[in-house]
């Protein structure tokens, strides 16, 4: 359904999991591999139990001083001190990989802090964020949608938009 000022699709919940990622494991890689192993195309990620990270790696939005129209400019940041996960939320959706095939892509925002001399920081979770202690998240599968890979709703952003794929959703 498209309305003035926004787009919307109706979807339903599928399977639900609590996923644990243990000390020494890459959080991004673990969530992505879990999605591949369970044939998850779309899902909501929400924190169940906050663990720690060392290091915590993220992309943060920063001004692009050479091009003010580049609102999607991100800069890598790494916090080496032990940090506590304070909040995490995101979405697993599909992107095309180098071979042109669909691949689940975790798009996760998170906030860390509460460490020795580490302020509170937040950004997009990237590979190389390593769990310290057990980190657990809820993952809720989302059914009834498919991607529109050529959509232009977010020009300049890497995300795509969706269509309803299940006519039984009312």
């Amino acid at each position: 359904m498209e309305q003035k000022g926004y787009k919307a699709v109706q979807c339903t919940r599928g399977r639900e999991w609590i996923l644990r990622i243990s000390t020494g494991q890459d959080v991004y890689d673990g969530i992505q591999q879990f999605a591949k192993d369970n044939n998850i195309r779309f899902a909501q990620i929400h924190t169940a139990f906050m663990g720690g990270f060392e290091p915590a790696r993220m992309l943060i939005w920063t001004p692009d001083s050479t091009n003010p129209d580049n609102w999607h400019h991100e800069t890598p940041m790494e916090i080496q001190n032990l940090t506590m996960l304070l909040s995490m939320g995101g979405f697993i959706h599909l992107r095309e990989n180098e071979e042109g095939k669909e691949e689940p892509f975790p798009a996760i925002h998170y906030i860390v802090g509460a460490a020795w001399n580490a302020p509170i920081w937040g950004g997009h979770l990237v590979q190389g964020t390593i769990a310290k202690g057990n980190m657990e998240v809820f993952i809720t599968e989302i059914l009834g949608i498919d991607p529109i890979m050529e959509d232009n709703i977010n020009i300049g952003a890497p995300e795509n938009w969706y269509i309803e794929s299940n006519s039984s959703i009312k």
Side-chain angles (χ1 to χ4, degrees):
M1 167 181 25
E2 188 167 347
Q3 299 289 325
K4 185 176 182 174
Y6 67 90
K7 289 185 177 186
V9 292
Q10 188 173 2
C11 53
T12 60
R13 285 186 188 179
R15 302 168 290 174
E16 295 188 283
W17 297 269
I18 298 175
L19 176 65
R20 173 179 275 188
I21 298 176
S22 299
T23 297
Q25 301 303 305
D26 187 297
V27 176
Y28 179 94
D29 287 345
I31 291 172
Q32 186 177 42
Q33 188 60 52
F34 174 79
K36 289 176 182 179
D37 292 346
N38 288 280
N39 298 313
I40 298 171
R41 298 180 78 226
F42 303 99
Q44 177 187 7
I45 299 167
H46 34 125
T47 306
F49 175 80
M50 285 58 152
F53 299 138
E54 189 175 27
R57 295 193 66 238
M58 63 187 73
L59 292 174
I60 58 171
W61 279 9
T62 52
D64 184 345
S65 60
T66 62
N67 180 5
D69 292 331
N70 182 11
W71 63 269
H72 198 264
H73 186 259
E74 294 179 302
T75 302
M77 180 176 153
E78 184 170 300
I79 302 168
Q80 284 293 332
N81 292 345
L82 176 62
T83 56
M84 178 185 288
L85 176 61
L86 303 174
S87 178
M88 177 183 276
F91 195 53
I92 294 171
H93 59 104
L94 298 174
R95 285 202 176 160
E96 287 185 12
N97 62 19
E98 285 122 22
E99 293 84 41
K101 296 182 180 179
E102 288 183 351
E103 178 177 65
F105 172 80
I108 301 169
H109 293 169
Y110 75 117
I111 299 170
V112 294
W116 307 277
N117 80 353
I120 296 173
W121 289 98
H124 293 108
L125 179 87
V126 294
Q127 288 175 307
T129 297
I130 306 302
K132 187 85 168 183
N134 292 320
M135 188 208 75
E136 296 178 8
V137 295
F138 281 122
I139 296 181
T140 302
E141 184 178 39
I142 298 171
L143 302 173
I145 59 174
D146 274 316
I148 303 172
M149 297 302 227
E150 300 297 324
D151 185 52
N152 65 358
I153 191 170
N154 287 325
I155 295 172
E159 288 78 21
N160 48 38
W161 187 241
Y162 316 97
I163 58 172
E164 292 177 19
S165 64
N166 185 346
S167 61
S168 66
I169 297 175
K170 300 206 187 295

